[in-house]
Amino acid sequence: MDVEDSLSENLSGEEPSVSDSESAVSSCSYEQFHLFDEGLGLVKLVEGEKVYDIIKRKFMMSFERLGVQASVVSIHKHVYLGVKEQARLNSFQIYAKAVENKCGGNANIKYSWFGGSKDDITKIVSYGFGLHEMSQNNGLYGSGVYLTPDSSPLESACNSPVDKDGLRHLLLTRVIMGKSEVVPIGSEQCQPSSEEFDSGMDNLQIPTKYIVWSTHMNTHTLPEYIVSFRAPPSLAGFVRTKRQPCEPTSPWMPFPVLISELSKFLPPQSVSLIRKHHEAHKERKISRNELIQRLRHLAGDRLLIAIIKSFRTKMAL
């Protein structure tokens, strides 16, 4: 599996290519960052290196776009040099090849973020994901590890507490997505719904979460970089106020009619969940805004907008 194509495609677009795992080690500084134990196999990247600059630029752009003042302190690469580490890398490559063959030549490998404490992240680098990482995601989308796309580090940063040195830490990991399925809020899944799928997303068009099932979390992920940074104390507020593109805000389509139309496009499980959320709203258990947010997660903005526009067009005739 070639890191160059994956990192270049997901983090840099048309940026210059990045070297693969073996050659990247030779170009990096071997100075160990004092916050991390030397036994972790981390190599500190130097500002000015292609990989460092690509990751930092992508990271900073995402924060600045939302008005968040942040600064990158260091970026470390996890190198797979020991016997155990090489076995872990080889295992990831074998699974990537298997998913590639299954999916017609594209394993759909992406870069994604995971936020946690410094201790959490060092344990993941050493041993992989575990029950602790699964427990902190509140189980909204089933049993697994929730990652955020490479374009959305802020969402993961909200789960990264400040350490004793005033730093937060994010893990940038490769993940084999294969073919993804939509996972509705409230799902109790712990594995793909069928052999057709390999992973989950909250929204296939504009995903904000990648769901890696507990059965796949240490075969389909490969931790590669740790980004240490400084940011404001409260980041959750920036995520809550983030503007979503093309939000369906029309109040003129009755929910029962909307649900009826959605049933023509969505699987019965999703429609059933939408009806439950609607009943919860009528019983004043959830707010209208919360109902709309759950509806958007289940149906996706593109479908909702299309249905609402079609309804308004018919009403205008």
Side-chain angles (χ1 to χ4, degrees):
M1 181 57 54
D2 191 84
V3 181
E4 175 177 342
D5 293 337
S6 184
L7 185 60
S8 179
E9 177 183 355
N10 289 286
L11 287 179
S12 59
E14 299 181 2
E15 294 283 351
S17 59
V18 179
S19 53
D20 60 23
S21 294
E22 290 76 16
S23 59
V25 175
S26 64
S27 66
C28 294
S29 163
Y30 275 82
E31 178 189 355
Q32 297 290 333
F33 189 44
H34 72 279
L35 285 179
F36 298 109
D37 294 335
E38 293 185 7
L40 287 174
L42 297 176
V43 172
K44 185 177 180 182
L45 302 184
V46 178
E47 191 163 6
E49 293 178 21
K50 289 179 181 178
V51 181
Y52 182 102
D53 290 346
I54 290 171
I55 294 174
K56 179 181 178 181
R57 184 179 303 116
K58 186 75 172 182
F59 180 91
M60 293 303 298
M61 284 177 60
S62 301
F63 275 68
E64 290 169 357
R65 188 165 58 243
L66 298 172
V68 182
Q69 296 295 318
S71 60
V72 173
V73 174
S74 68
I75 300 176
H76 286 76
K77 180 179 177 63
H78 182 209
V79 293
Y80 292 83
L81 297 180
V83 174
K84 186 182 75 171
E85 297 296 290
Q86 280 291 306
R88 194 172 172 188
L89 175 61
N90 291 339
S91 174
F92 179 84
Q93 293 172 337
I94 290 169
Y95 275 98
K97 186 63 177 178
V99 174
E100 178 183 320
N101 293 337
K102 168 183 167 294
C103 295
N106 182 11
N108 193 20
I109 296 177
K110 296 183 180 295
Y111 271 88
S112 57
W113 298 99
F114 180 85
S117 68
K118 184 185 72 174
D119 187 53
D120 292 339
I121 287 177
T122 54
K123 286 179 179 177
I124 294 168
V125 169
S126 296
Y127 307 110
F129 289 98
L131 294 176
H132 176 70
E133 287 74 45
M134 291 170 51
S135 66
Q136 72 179 46
N137 60 31
N138 64 34
L140 280 178
Y141 296 92
S143 177
V145 172
Y146 305 165
L147 308 173
T148 59
D150 67 323
S151 60
S152 304
L154 181 58
E155 283 81 353
S156 285
C158 292
N159 296 320
S160 174
V162 178
D163 68 12
K164 62 182 179 63
D165 297 296
L167 298 178
R168 299 174 188 259
H169 308 277
L170 283 182
L171 185 65
L172 183 60
T173 179
R174 272 193 288 170
V175 56
I176 304 167
M177 296 298 293
K179 184 172 183 180
S180 300
E181 60 184 311
V182 173
V183 181
I185 291 180
S187 171
E188 297 182 354
Q189 274 184 252
C190 62
Q191 60 192 26
S193 61
S194 72
E195 290 292 328
E196 179 183 1
F197 300 108
D198 305 283
S199 63
M201 292 183 181
D202 60 339
N203 186 308
L204 293 182
Q205 285 75 41
I206 314 173
T208 63
K209 285 183 177 59
Y210 296 155
I211 298 99
V212 184
W213 303 118
S214 53
T215 52
H216 292 47
M217 63 186 182
N218 286 316
T219 57
H220 288 49
T221 60
L222 190 72
E224 288 212 325
Y225 300 93
I226 298 176
V227 177
S228 302
F229 63 100
R230 299 186 189 277
S234 178
L235 293 176
F238 291 98
V239 175
R240 286 194 295 268
T241 58
K242 182 175 66 173
R243 294 183 60 188
Q244 298 290 339
C246 304
E247 292 188 8
T249 57
S250 173
W252 299 293
M253 186 173 190
F255 274 110
V257 177
L258 178 58
I259 294 172
S260 176
E261 289 299 309
L262 286 171
S263 67
K264 300 175 183 178
F265 302 94
L266 298 177
Q269 180 187 14
S270 297
V271 177
S272 177
L273 272 173
I274 290 173
R275 288 198 172 100
K276 287 182 180 178
H277 295 325
H278 185 223
E279 288 299 317
H281 169 63
K282 290 195 295 183
E283 295 170 5
R284 298 182 182 275
K285 294 180 179 178
I286 62 173
S287 66
R288 184 179 186 278
N289 183 63
E290 190 172 356
L291 170 62
I292 291 173
Q293 291 302 316
R294 294 184 182 186
L295 185 62
R296 292 176 61 200
H297 275 292
L298 288 166
D301 288 354
R302 185 173 298 179
L303 177 59
L304 288 172
I305 291 169
I307 289 175
I308 291 172
K309 283 184 176 179
S310 175
F311 177 80
R312 292 176 65 184
T313 300
K314 291 178 183 177
M315 294 298 292
L317 295 177

